[in-house]
């Protein structure tokens, strides 16, 4: 192989390999330590994760993903004007913090797992939950396709 096809070099590839193996090991340990095989256990870690773990998960999902896959490349291609989207991300967090405490209490009381669980509780309509779920999947697919550019 030519050097252009391996941008990381042998030490970089070794690090990535060790990292991937550590993820598999952590996943296996988590699988072994699970208490039950329920959807709540799968999606929410059996509701036993603490605030710190939740904070790190949300941060890694939202900001790290956007930083690595969206803002950097898009800002490079479009210039400083694209950096205004950082304000949109901040606005999402501020808006979320307005309704999150009440939604958290409600979800704990009724043991919601997905947004569809809340919608079914609120409106009692299975067709509405189905439509909302399909719309959320389409929105996520559009978001992923948009980031490929």
């Amino acid at each position: 192989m030519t050097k252009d096809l391996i941008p990381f070099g042998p030490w970089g590839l070794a690090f990535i390999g060790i990292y991937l193996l550590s993820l598999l090991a952590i996943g296996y340990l988590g699988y072994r330590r699970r208490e039950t095989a329920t959807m709540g256990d799968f999606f929410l870690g059996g509701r036993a994760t603490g605030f710190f773990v939740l904070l790190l998960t949300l941060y890694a999902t939202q900001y790290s993903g956007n930083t690595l896959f969206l803002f950097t490349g898009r800002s490079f291609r479009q210039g400083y004007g694209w950096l205004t989207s950082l304000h949109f991300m901040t606005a999402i967090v501020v808006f979320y913090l307005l309704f999150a405490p009440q939604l958290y209490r409600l979800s704990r009381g009724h043991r919601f797992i997905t947004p569809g669980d809340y919608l079914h509780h609120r409106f009692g309509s299975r067709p509405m939950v189905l439509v909302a779920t399909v719309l959320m999947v389409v929105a996520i697919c559009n978001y992923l396709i948009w980031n490929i550019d």
Side-chain angles (χ1 to χ4, degrees), residues 30-136:
Y31 174 77
R32 294 286 312 246
R33 291 189 50 139
R34 70 173 192 231
E35 294 178 13
T36 60
T38 64
M39 293 296 277
D41 191 47
F42 179 75
F43 284 111
L44 304 174
R47 300 183 188 271
T49 57
F51 177 76
F52 187 68
V53 172
L54 177 64
L55 181 69
L56 290 177
T57 302
L58 293 174
Y59 182 82
T61 301
Q62 189 64 33
Y63 294 103
S64 180
N66 284 327
T67 301
L68 292 175
F69 296 115
L70 174 63
F71 292 125
T72 326
R74 187 66 67 146
S75 298
F76 176 76
R77 286 191 297 276
Q78 293 186 357
Y80 289 114
W82 178 252
L83 291 177
T84 58
S85 60
L86 290 173
H87 300 297
F88 300 134
M89 294 304 298
T90 304
I92 289 170
V93 172
V94 169
F95 179 73
Y96 176 73
L97 290 175
L98 292 175
F99 69 86
Q102 183 178 358
L103 183 60
Y104 176 77
R105 285 190 298 277
L106 189 63
S107 70
R108 280 295 216 195
H110 295 281
R111 303 191 59 79
F112 298 151
I113 296 174
T114 66
D117 293 339
Y118 167 74
L119 291 174
H120 187 263
H121 169 77
R122 175 73 172 85
F123 299 103
S125 170
R126 283 283 179 203
M128 179 185 202
V129 171
L130 180 63
V131 169
T133 302
V134 168
L135 287 174
M136 285 185 260

